[in-house]
Amino acid sequence: MNGVSGIQGFWQAIAEGRLVFASGVPVFMVLLLVVLVPLLVWYLYGRTTRPLTQNDRIALTAMRSMALVMLLLMLLRPIIQEWETNPQETYLAILVDDSQSMQINDGSTSQQSRIQAVQNALSPSVLSALREQYQLRTFAFGRDVRRLNSPNDLTAADNRSDISTAISHVGEQLGSLPLNAVVVISDGGDNSNLDPATTAEVLGGREVPVFTVGVGQPEVTPDIAIRNVRSDATLLDSEQVDVELSVSQTGFAADAVQISIWDGDTQVASRQVALGNDGETRRYTLPVVPDRNAAIRYEARIETLTGERLVENNRYQFLVDNSLPETRNILYVDGHPRNEFKFIRRALDADDDLRLASYLQTGPGRFYRQGIENALELSTGFPEDKEALYAYEGLLIGDVELDFFSEGQLGLIRDFVAERGGGLLVSGMVDDAFIDTPLSDVLPLELVRSNSLPGQLQGGIRRGAHATGTMFTPVLTTEGEFANALRLGSSDSENRTRWQDLPELQGIYVTGQAKAGATVLLEHPDLQYQRQPLPVLATQRYGSGRSVALTTASTWRWQMLMPSEDDSHERLWRQMARWLTDEALARVEIELNQESYHAGDEVDVSVRVRDNVFELDNNASVWLQVTMPNGEIAEQAMSWDINDDGTYRATLPATDEGVYQLLVDVTSTSGDGATLEQQGSFAVTPSLREYNDAGLDRRLLQRVAGSSGGRYYELSELDSMLTDLASAPTPYARQVDRDIWHHAFWLGLLLLMLFAEWAYRRYRGLS
C-alpha cells in the first residue's frame, strides 16, 4: 500500500467501519485522544519561557500535535480488516444486457452506443485481470440467457430485457459452485413481468451479492414516441375504423408533426398535429376505411424531426381484423302491423351482416313469419325452449300484450339476456301488466302503473293536444352524443347537425324513470316524471347481455319525411341492431393473452366452448389450425383446462412477423353434437418495448443491488467496482488484518513532522 493509497484506505476504512486497533482500544476513544492531544499541546505552548506570537504557536502546535498523534496511533497499532479470496478459488458471473435498447446512442458515451461503451469497458486487459482472480463466467441476456465468449459477440438485438430471469439463471447454473458475486451491466430497461430485486434478494440470502452497473443517460432527448395505438371499428355502414395514436415527446414542445397510417406502401390516412408539452402524452384520431375483408396489419408513422435521437419508436404496427363477420340473427315479434315494423325491417334487410326473422300478429290467432331460414323456424310461435331462442343474438319486441307470452317464455327472455348474453330491445308501448314479470326485471326502466302517473301523462299516446301525443325532437344526452350506436357523422359537429335536421317524432309512451344502473341516451325535451326528463332511449347491462327501451313508435318519420337519399333512419337502426348483438356470446370464442405479439413471444390461445343451450362444454373435441405468415399450416389438439369449465388451451410460438390466421374446429359430444368453427387472427409486429422509456433506470438497478447486499455503479466507475468486488465479504473470502503502519510513508511522515518542528523552533530561537 503506497502513501497516497494508504491515506485513502485509512479514511475509507474509518467510513466503512473496517478500522480497528490491535491494542483493543475502541475507535471512539482513539478519536477522543486525537482531539485532546492538540488541546494539550496548545496549552503547553502557552507556558513557554519565551513568549510566542499567535502564528508561531499555531504552527508549532500543528506540527507537534501531528507527530504525537501519529506516534500514539503507532503505539495503539491500527489495522484494517479486509476480505480476500485466493485466486481461482471462486466464481464470478458477469451478465451483460444484450437487448435492443443497448443500441441507443443517448450522448452519454462520446457518440458511442451503449453496447459499444460496454465492449470498450470490458477490454481484454480487464477480463484478463478478472480471470487471474476468478473463475470467470460471462453471459449475455435479453429475453433469454446465453454464454458470452467475448464482448465482441454482443449484438444488442433482443427485443426484450428480463433481468430477473438472467439473475435466476446464473443462480441455478452456478448455485452449487463457490459463486463470489454476480455483476449485472444494463440500462435497467426491464420489461418482463417479474421484479428483479426479488430475485436478487434470493441470491443475497445465499450471501451472493449482485453488483449493478448502469449504462446510458436517464433521458433520451429529444425524442418523439408512439406510445400506443388503439383501433375501434365503428358501427357506421362505412365500416370506418377510428385509429387513436398516443404520442409523447421531449424536446419538441408545440412543434407540428405529420402523423399517418400506412397499409404496406400505401398511405391511407394522415394528419398534421401539434405536439404537447415535454413529457405529456396526447391522443390523436385518424379515420381509416379498410379496403378488403381481411385481417390487415397497418403501420402508424410519425415523421422524424431534425435532431431526434431515437427514431425506432416513430413507427407502430397494429392489426385491424376486417374479416367478414358471422351473420347476426335477430328475432322481431310484434303484436300488430305498424309503420315502425315495416321500416325497421326495410333498414335491417339491407345489411348483409344481419338476418331479421319476424313473427308478426296480423289478427286474432293469425301470424305472419318473414325472414325465416326454413319452414320449421317459428312454426309454433315464439320459442318455448332455450335451444330455439338462443339461436338468435338479438330480440326486438314491439307492441305486445301480456298474453302474447306464457310465463315460461317471459322467464326465457330474461335468461336470454342474462345467460346467453343476447340483446333485448323493446320498441313502443310496454303495458303496465308486465309489472312484476321477468320482463320488467330486464328492462332499463322502472315500470309504473298508468293510474299512478300524473294526469297529463296517463293513457299512453293520445292525439290532439294531449302532452304524450305532441311532436317533439329528442335530446341527445352526453352519453348519447358519444354512443356509437347513435352516430350519424364521423365528427361531433356533423353528428349534431344531422340530429338537428331529423324530423320530429310524435308521441311517447310513459312507462317510468330509468333504473339506477341504466344509461339514458335520448330524452324528451319537455315532459318530466318525478322531476326528471322522460327517457326516450335507455339501456342497461343485465347479466351477460344488455337491454334497451325505446319509448316511441314513430322513428319511421325519420325515413318518410326526409329526402330519399338521406340514410339516417337506416343507419341508426342498423347501428342499434349491431350494437344490440355486439356482445352476445358465441358457442365458440377465441381469446388471446395479448393484443399483439413480437417475435419470440409465446401465444396462449384459449377457446371457450358452449353447448346448444350455452352451458359450458367440457366434453368437446377441439382442434386448432394455424396459418403462418408464409402460408404454412400447422395443426394441434387443444387441451381441456380442468380448472376452467368449457376452456381449452394451446400455446404457439410467435416466430415470424406478419399475420397469423386461426381456425378452431369443435365437435361437441353433448347437446346437439354439432361441429362448429370459429376464426381468429393475431399479428406479430416489430417490438417497441425496448425503445419506450429507454432512459437509464438507476432506481431499478439500485434496488437490485441493495436487495442482495451489493452496490450500484456507473459504467465510468467500473474500476472502482472491481476493486470493491475483490474485498467484498462472502462465504468464500477470509478476513485479513493489514497493519497500515508497515509502510515507509508513515514513518517518513512522522520523522518529517518531528524535524519540521525542531527546525521551526531553531529558526525562531526557541530551545
Side-chain angles (χ1 to χ4, degrees), residues 288-608:
V288 173
V289 179
D291 64 353
R292 58 195 182 278
N293 295 120
I296 306 173
R297 185 172 57 154
Y298 290 101
E299 182 173 79
R301 300 180 187 176
I302 298 180
E303 67 173 304
T304 302
L305 297 184
T306 303
E308 190 173 357
R309 284 196 173 273
L310 193 59
V311 299
E312 287 84 355
N313 55 11
N314 286 30
R315 298 188 173 201
Y316 193 112
Q317 292 188 6
F318 61 98
L319 184 70
V320 172
D321 192 349
N322 197 49
S323 303
L324 287 173
E326 292 186 2
T327 301
R328 308 179 193 191
N329 298 295
I330 300 174
L331 172 60
Y332 187 174
V333 295
D334 211 329
H336 58 90
R338 300 184 301 156
N339 288 334
E340 196 79 326
F341 168 78
K342 178 175 63 176
F343 285 102
I344 291 173
R345 167 161 287 286
R346 183 181 300 173
L348 301 190
D349 280 348
D351 192 329
D352 293 336
D353 296 339
L354 302 171
R355 182 182 75 91
L356 185 67
S358 59
Y359 187 72
L360 174 65
Q361 185 172 4
T362 58
R366 300 178 61 186
F367 297 91
Y368 176 60
R369 294 181 295 160
Q370 194 173 357
I372 57 177
E373 287 188 321
N374 55 65
L376 294 179
E377 185 177 6
L378 303 176
S379 59
T380 58
F382 188 84
E384 295 184 355
D385 58 69
K386 289 185 176 182
E387 183 176 355
L389 183 58
Y390 286 11
Y392 302 96
E393 283 80 31
L395 175 60
L396 269 63
I397 299 178
D399 286 342
V400 295
E401 297 181 355
L402 180 61
D403 60 5
F404 189 93
F405 301 110
S406 67
E407 184 177 348
Q409 288 172 326
L410 289 173
L412 196 58
I413 292 173
R414 179 186 56 200
D415 295 342
F416 171 80
V417 180
E419 297 177 0
R420 194 256 183 269
L424 168 69
L425 188 151
V426 177
S427 169
M429 182 182 67
V430 181
D431 196 305
D432 58 12
F434 284 100
I435 294 176
D436 298 329
T437 69
L439 184 62
S440 68
D441 296 337
V442 180
L443 290 178
L445 304 179
E446 293 281 3
L447 299 184
V448 295
R449 302 201 179 275
S450 178
N451 57 14
S452 67
L453 293 170
Q456 73 273 17
L457 301 181
Q458 291 183 10
I461 294 178
R462 285 191 260 168
R463 305 298 182 191
H466 194 274
T468 60
T470 58
M471 310 291 288
F472 70 96
T473 299
V475 177
L476 281 169
T477 64
T478 301
E479 293 81 2
E481 286 190 14
F482 294 99
N484 279 342
L486 302 184
R487 296 291 288 184
L488 289 175
S490 57
S491 68
D492 292 343
S493 59
E494 181 188 357
N495 186 55
R496 293 191 196 98
T497 299
R498 293 194 63 174
W499 269 97
Q500 291 169 359
D501 291 342
L502 290 176
E504 292 180 309
L505 299 178
Q506 185 170 23
I508 182 171
Y509 294 102
V510 183
T511 55
Q513 268 301 348
K515 292 179 179 176
T519 301
V520 177
L521 304 179
L522 290 172
E523 59 189 15
H524 200 284
D526 304 313
L527 297 182
Q528 293 189 350
Y529 174 61
Q530 296 180 344
R531 297 184 180 181
Q532 294 293 325
L534 288 176
V536 177
L537 184 68
T539 180
Q540 74 169 3
R541 300 291 308 179
Y542 187 82
S544 298
R546 63 160 53 101
S547 65
V548 182
L550 178 63
T551 59
T552 184
S554 58
T555 65
W556 58 270
R557 294 173 57 84
W558 291 339
Q559 175 65 36
M560 285 296 294
L561 301 181
M562 290 291 285
S564 59
E565 64 272 12
D566 186 272
D567 66 345
S568 299
H569 179 267
E570 295 99 322
R571 173 177 290 208
L572 285 172
W573 273 103
R574 291 171 192 165
Q575 289 172 181
M576 284 198 293
R578 295 181 189 182
W579 170 63
L580 190 69
T581 59
D582 195 46
E583 297 183 10
L585 301 176
R587 288 189 59 180
V588 180
E589 294 179 324
I590 301 175
E591 294 181 2
L592 303 173
N593 62 321
Q594 295 176 195
E595 290 186 3
S596 63
Y597 299 88
H598 311 299
D601 289 352
E602 284 193 341
V603 182
D604 294 331
V605 183
S606 300
V607 172
R608 183 153 293 182

Side-chain angles (χ1 to χ4, degrees), residues 100 143 158-161 191 312-313 315-317 597-599 601 657 684-692:
Q100 291 172 338
R143 175 192 303 276
D158 209 322
N159 64 10
R160 172 172 286 181
S161 299
N191 42 48
E312 287 84 355
N313 55 11
R315 298 188 173 201
Y316 193 112
Q317 292 188 6
Y597 299 88
H598 311 299
D601 289 352
E657 293 181 1
V684 177
T685 64
S687 173
L688 292 181
R689 55 192 166 207
E690 285 291 309
Y691 301 110
N692 287 330

